[in-house]
Amino acid sequence: MNGPEIHVEFAPALGLFVPHARRGRATAVVTDGASTLGHVVESLGVPLTEVGALLVDGRTSPFSHVPAAGERVEVCPVQRPQQVPGAPLRFLLDVHLGTLARRLRLLGVDAAYESTDIGDPALATRSAAERRVMLSRDRGLLRRRELWAGAFVYSTRPDDQLRDVLDRFAPELRPWTRCTACNGVLRDASKEEVADQLQHGTRRSYDVFARCRACGRAYWKGAHHDQLEAIVERALTEFPTRA
């Protein structure tokens, strides 16, 4: 690039995406005189899914703005809770976020998940077709233009990932209403309806069951229920207005 020089400053929350030399201060960037400001920001490493506003000389500017020489640009993170207009809040998670998908479903959040790597183009296309927010740690995927909406998952730890998504999007929490295996909706079921899925000890020890309307999987308060209950109670405690 040998066009106009601008100065760009990234908010601390976006420091993960940019080199150390560009963190914490405005730095010079030489543009080509034709690319949009959104393109310039992405070329510096920040997916636009993580940008809440662009301030050019202190004024809000669209991503489509073509920067001029001498402009000072502030790149701000998304505001929380982030509003996603135009569709019910639903998510799509890539192959690397299976634990997060199951925990979101445990809380009753609509979270589709691809258990195999179907490739970035297919994921982006599904996000657009079903109007789902794409959750991923793949920056390249989040830069695809086909995406309907997207968000970077900042942590590698499932506890922190869940807390981040709940804090950022404020989804309604309806625990124990979705199938953690397929994302289908659960309904109450009698012991007789699910008898073919129960071992003898389970049939003898439990009387309350649910069944997925989509895949037919049976649920009951089994050996791992206390661990799941802890996840649910922690989420409801930290985000009490979401239930």
Side-chain angles (χ1 to χ4, degrees), residues 189-211 216-222:
S190 67
K191 184 182 295 188
E192 291 71 25
E193 287 182 272
V194 298
D196 60 335
Q197 299 183 49
L198 307 179
Q199 296 182 353
H200 180 70
T202 302
R203 288 197 299 269
R204 185 178 63 251
S205 303
Y206 299 94
D207 296 303
V208 178
F209 298 91
R211 189 175 191 179
R217 180 170 176 168
Y219 287 85
W220 61 92
K221 294 182 179 180

Side-chain angles (χ1 to χ4, degrees), residues 26-40:
T27 57
V29 176
V30 178
T31 70
D32 62 7
S35 295
T36 66
L37 188 53
H39 177 80
V40 172

Side-chain angles (χ1 to χ4, degrees), residues 75-137:
V75 185
C76 306
V78 294
Q79 291 188 336
R80 299 188 176 210
Q82 181 179 350
Q83 301 300 311
V84 183
L89 181 60
R90 303 187 298 177
F91 298 101
L92 172 62
L93 290 78
D94 70 18
V95 66
H96 303 292
L97 297 176
T99 299
L100 175 59
R102 289 188 291 273
R103 292 189 178 190
L104 287 170
R105 292 169 178 177
L106 176 66
L107 294 172
V109 178
D110 189 336
Y113 164 66
E114 289 290 348
S115 59
T116 57
D117 189 355
I118 63 174
D120 289 0
L123 283 169
T125 297
R126 182 176 179 187
S127 165
E130 299 181 10
R131 307 192 83 179
R132 291 180 178 273
V133 179
M134 184 79 239
L135 300 181
S136 178
R137 287 181 51 79

Side-chain angles (χ1 to χ4, degrees), residues 16 97 100 137 152-162 164:
L16 169 69
L97 297 176
L100 175 59
R137 287 181 51 79
F152 184 77
V153 176
Y154 285 78
S155 177
T156 58
R157 300 181 64 252
D159 286 349
D160 294 336
Q161 290 175 344
L162 181 62
D164 182 31

Side-chain angles (χ1 to χ4, degrees), residues 215-233:
C215 72
R217 180 170 176 168
Y219 287 85
W220 61 92
K221 294 182 179 180
H224 301 293
H225 183 76
D226 288 348
Q227 298 174 28
L228 301 179
E229 184 71 45
I231 294 171
V232 169
E233 289 303 318

